[in-house]
Each structure stands twice: as structure tokens, then as C-alpha cells.
Amino acid sequence: MLDLENNFSENKLKVITIDGPAGSGKSSVAKIVAHKLGWIYVTTGAIYRTLALLFHESNMKITDVEHIERFISFISERYRQESSTGRVFIGEREISHEIKSPFVSELSSILAQEDFIRKRLLPIQRKVVLNNSGAVVDGRDMGTVVFPDAPLKIFLTASAEERAERRKKELSQNGQNADIKEILREIHERDERDLNRTLSPLKPAVDAFSLDSTCFSQEDIANKILQLAVQKDLIISREF
Ligand code: C5P
């Protein structure tokens, strides 16, 4: 861990937001940065994915508002993300692998288009983060909607081909095989939905730093973010 001191006034929010499209490397980079700072890491896509998994398993229609409410309350009470590993639990049940399935990926991005769902998941995302002192949080609208007050915002991108390669590798590490063309097609579809939805579309906050990870390692990007955190007086480093 780096020898870092925090330089906060009492009221300064200790949050770094990392937004970007699927497979841009947000989660991996966020984990590295959080680890180096001794902060927690939160991936908000996992909350949307958990909702999708609950729907998938219940065979309910996504238009059934009563069930949406019930699932969201369930998530609010039982959802947990293990900060050091990113493992996801609902109550005692670990769902880290199930929520990564292609079906859940697609359904989560469909559910994420719903105004009502986004509004109900917003306080849950803030609660998970603000219960801790210091968080690196990734998603699509962290810098624009959920933490517009974050002192450091990153918008991370990578080419669609590179993102598809990364997703394929991630899936095979979880024992799932997938065709690269199929992954690429799904990525384009999800990008389309994330970019074009009316509520909280994927876009950089006006005060976000845009970084392209296509040709850089996760460590390089993480170090760049730490340098920006120093420039922003968010942290002081004796080792950079
Ligand atoms: O980041 P991840 O790919 O795990 O997110 C799953 C889906 O949840 C995305 O396709 C996106 O549509 C949605 N999402 C969102 N806003 C967030 C996080 C995820 O709309 N903050």
C-alpha cells in the first residue's frame, strides 16, 4: 500500500468515480486504486445485475411494478459487496458468478433504462458508498447523477474490440465459454442502450477526466488516476 495521507476538510466527499462503457476496465482499475488508497471499492453495475438476476429467477415480467418494489427492498436490506474482492452477496448467498452471465448482462441493461428503477437504486448506491470513509466507485452515471459532488471523476473508454476480448477472458476465468463475435454484438447493443437512454445516459461529467485504456495496462491507468487525485488535493503522496 502506498504511503498516502488524506487531505480532506471534514465535509469533503472521499469518493473517486469511474464511469465508462462495458469492458473499459473500470472495475479492475477501481479495485487497484481502492486497494492502494485503503479505500473501499464499489461496482454499481452489480446492483443492477442483482436486480436482473432476481427477475430472471422469479420469471416475473419486468413491467410488474409491485415485484420491482419487492426486489428493490430486498436488495436494499440484503445486498452486500465485499470490498477487497468485489464478491457480491444477497443475504448469505454468493451471486458473483451468476450476475456475470450474458443473460443477466443483457437484462440488467434493459432494466437500467427504467426511470423508476434508476431512481429507486440511487439511494442504495449512495448508502453503500457513504457508509464508508473513502470509496472508488464504478458505473455509468456516478459522476453525472449519483455523485455529482465527487472531487475526482474519471471517464474510462477502450475500443469495442478490446473490450470484447477482455469480457471473453473474464467469462472464461469464470468457466464460461463465449463466441467473440457474439460478445462484440452484445457490447454494441448495450453501448447503444446505455448511450441513448433518456435518463442518466452514459456520458462523461463536464468535470470528468477522460482516459482511454485500449493501449495501457490497468496499473498504468490506476497510477494516472492516483496522480490526478494528488493534483486535485484529494490525497497527498510521499511516494509518487
Ligand atoms: O457495469 P456493468 O456492466 O456490470 O453494468 C451492468 C448494466 O447495468 C450496464 O449494462 C448498465 O446498463 C447498467 N448500469 C447503469 N448504471 C450504473 C451501473 C450499471 O445503468 N451506474
Side-chain angles (χ1 to χ4, degrees), residues 21-200:
S24 57
K26 304 181 297 288
S27 307
S28 314
V29 166
K31 262 187 225 164
I32 298 172
V33 174
H35 178 71
K36 290 194 175 184
L37 294 174
W39 291 7
I40 66 154
Y41 151 69
V42 177
T43 177
T44 56
I47 301 177
Y48 285 88
R49 285 171 180 273
T50 301
L51 182 63
L53 180 69
L54 294 178
F55 263 107
H56 177 46
E57 291 182 340
S58 71
N59 281 325
M60 292 295 163
K61 287 211 179 87
I62 61 169
T63 45
D64 186 338
V65 175
E66 201 182 304
H67 274 100
I68 297 177
E69 266 302 341
R70 214 157 54 81
F71 289 147
I72 292 177
S73 301
F74 188 64
I75 290 172
S76 180
E77 285 160 24
R78 307 278 182 88
Y79 179 85
R80 186 165 58 87
Q81 243 176 65
E82 203 174 77
S83 169
S84 52
T85 59
R87 287 164 72 197
V88 175
F89 297 82
I90 189 94
E92 291 304 308
R93 178 185 168 202
E94 181 173 5
I95 51 171
S96 314
H97 296 315
E98 283 106 316
I99 61 170
K100 285 287 164 72
S101 79
F103 186 86
V104 169
S105 299
E106 190 178 355
L107 185 56
S108 61
S109 92
I110 293 169
L111 292 170
Q113 289 176 298
E114 294 296 325
D115 182 354
F116 165 68
I117 290 177
R118 300 201 72 84
K119 285 195 176 126
R120 291 284 283 108
L121 292 184
L122 192 145
I124 299 176
Q125 295 169 74
R126 280 194 74 95
K127 189 176 86 182
V128 172
V129 168
L130 297 177
N131 278 346
N132 294 275
S133 74
V136 184
V137 53
D138 80 56
R140 301 293 188 289
D141 58 347
M142 295 299 104
T144 48
V145 177
V146 183
F147 295 102
D149 42 351
L152 177 58
K153 302 174 184 176
I154 306 296
F155 193 80
L156 195 58
T157 56
S159 71
E161 290 71 21
E162 174 67 19
R163 291 188 282 132
E165 284 293 345
R166 290 175 188 172
R167 196 56 103 190
K168 184 172 166 57
K169 209 164 147 194
E170 193 183 343
L171 285 169
S172 76
Q173 276 163 0
N174 290 337
Q176 294 166 313
N177 246 330
D179 174 46
I180 191 77
K181 282 194 191 133
E182 182 59 15
I183 298 178
L184 196 55
R185 189 192 59 75
E186 280 166 12
I187 280 186
H188 283 307
E189 246 180 50
R190 285 172 67 202
D191 281 358
E192 191 67 20
R193 274 198 291 269
D194 285 348
L195 288 163
N196 295 321
R197 67 179 170 233
T198 42
L199 198 80
S200 307

